[in-house]
Amino acid sequence: VTGNRDSLTDPFTTSLQRTGLTHTVAVSGMHLAFLAGLVSLLLGASRRLTALVLIPMSALFCLVAGCTPSVVRAAIMIVLLQLAPLLGRERDDCTALGTALLLLLLWNPYSAAHIGLQLSFAAVAGILLCADKVQRGLLYFVASTCGATVGASLLTTPLVALYFDAVPLISPLSNLLTLWAVGLLFGAGLCLGTLGLLLPRLAALGAVPAALLARYLHGVIQWLAGFPFSSVTMG
């Protein structure tokens, strides 16, 4: 939830890299999207109330997460997409993405060389380019996950190969088996962390199913990382 990875072992970190799931433990735009989805679900159909809650919450989460480029990108996009209906304008993902990049580069032009910025914007651009096309004619859950994975991989794979000297071939399967659990675990961690400030015993009880979900993630990631050629080095 907060991006603290001190307890992750080196073997498990390697498994995350081999399966293309490093993004699940680094607080990024994906986690802010999970937060936005959770807030929208809790507040129902009230667009105005959702916007009034999400805009300051996105800014706060951005500060808590350390204002990494991917989180700032997501926060700007969420703010713009929430402001659009309030101002009587149409939502447009590409405009929001372009505006986020413009603001980041105006603040610091050298951030264009930041690996996190390149991967974040390339992933979202790839999703916008092809995710909708992949989803047509397939079951929604499988299609949406595969569409997001294929789209994100479309433009990020060359960058991953360049910067990390490896390409995780098993990434589509690993994302399909784990992203739903990552979303649930993030939401559970957020709720339990807040509840723990007020009712720690109740939070500890609620943490039991969340821990089982975390064990599922750990086991699946280790299992997939053990497959031959799950990741191929550029050498």
Side-chain angles (χ1 to χ4, degrees):
V1 174
T2 62
N4 188 331
R5 291 182 284 176
D6 292 343
S7 298
L8 296 185
T9 63
D10 290 339
F12 185 67
T13 301
T14 301
S15 296
L16 287 169
Q17 293 170 348
R18 285 181 58 82
T19 53
L21 293 173
T22 304
H23 62 93
T24 61
V25 295
V27 170
S28 62
M30 179 186 71
H31 295 79
L32 189 49
F34 286 150
L35 177 60
L38 180 63
V39 171
S40 299
L41 183 65
L42 293 175
L43 296 180
S46 176
R47 284 189 172 184
R48 183 175 296 275
L49 180 59
T50 300
L52 291 175
V53 172
L54 259 183
I55 290 173
M57 187 173 284
S58 298
L60 179 62
F61 184 84
C62 192
L63 293 172
V64 170
C67 292
T68 60
S70 60
V71 176
V72 173
R73 186 268 309 156
I76 294 173
M77 289 186 69
I78 288 173
V79 169
L80 289 176
L81 293 175
Q82 291 301 320
L83 282 176
L86 297 181
L87 300 177
R89 304 296 295 271
E90 291 185 3
R91 291 183 173 185
D92 185 76
D93 293 326
C94 293
T95 300
L97 182 65
T99 304
L101 182 60
L102 174 66
L103 293 175
L104 278 168
L105 295 181
L106 282 174
W107 179 259
N108 178 14
Y110 294 102
S111 64
H114 192 283
I115 299 173
L117 182 144
Q118 295 175 19
L119 289 172
S120 178
F121 279 89
V124 176
I127 290 172
L128 295 180
L129 280 172
C130 76
D132 288 340
K133 298 181 179 63
V134 174
Q135 289 178 25
R136 292 172 186 165
L138 296 173
L139 292 173
Y140 179 76
F141 169 72
V142 176
S144 59
T145 304
C146 289
T149 303
V150 171
S153 301
L154 181 68
L155 300 181
T156 57
T157 298
L159 294 173
V160 170
L162 176 65
Y163 289 123
F164 303 107
D165 199 34
V167 175
L169 300 180
I170 206 168
S171 178
L173 177 61
S174 61
N175 278 278
L176 183 63
L177 294 177
T178 61
L179 277 191
W180 64 271
V182 171
L184 289 175
L185 193 58
F186 177 80
L190 199 64
C191 294
L192 291 170
T194 304
L195 183 62
L197 296 174
L198 306 171
L199 301 168
R201 290 183 182 274
L202 184 59
L205 187 63
V208 174
L212 293 175
L213 196 59
R215 289 183 182 277
Y216 163 79
L217 274 173
H218 186 273
V220 168
I221 291 169
Q222 296 284 45
W223 175 58
L224 292 174
F227 279 30
F229 300 107
S230 59
S231 178
V232 176
T233 61
M234 298 309 295

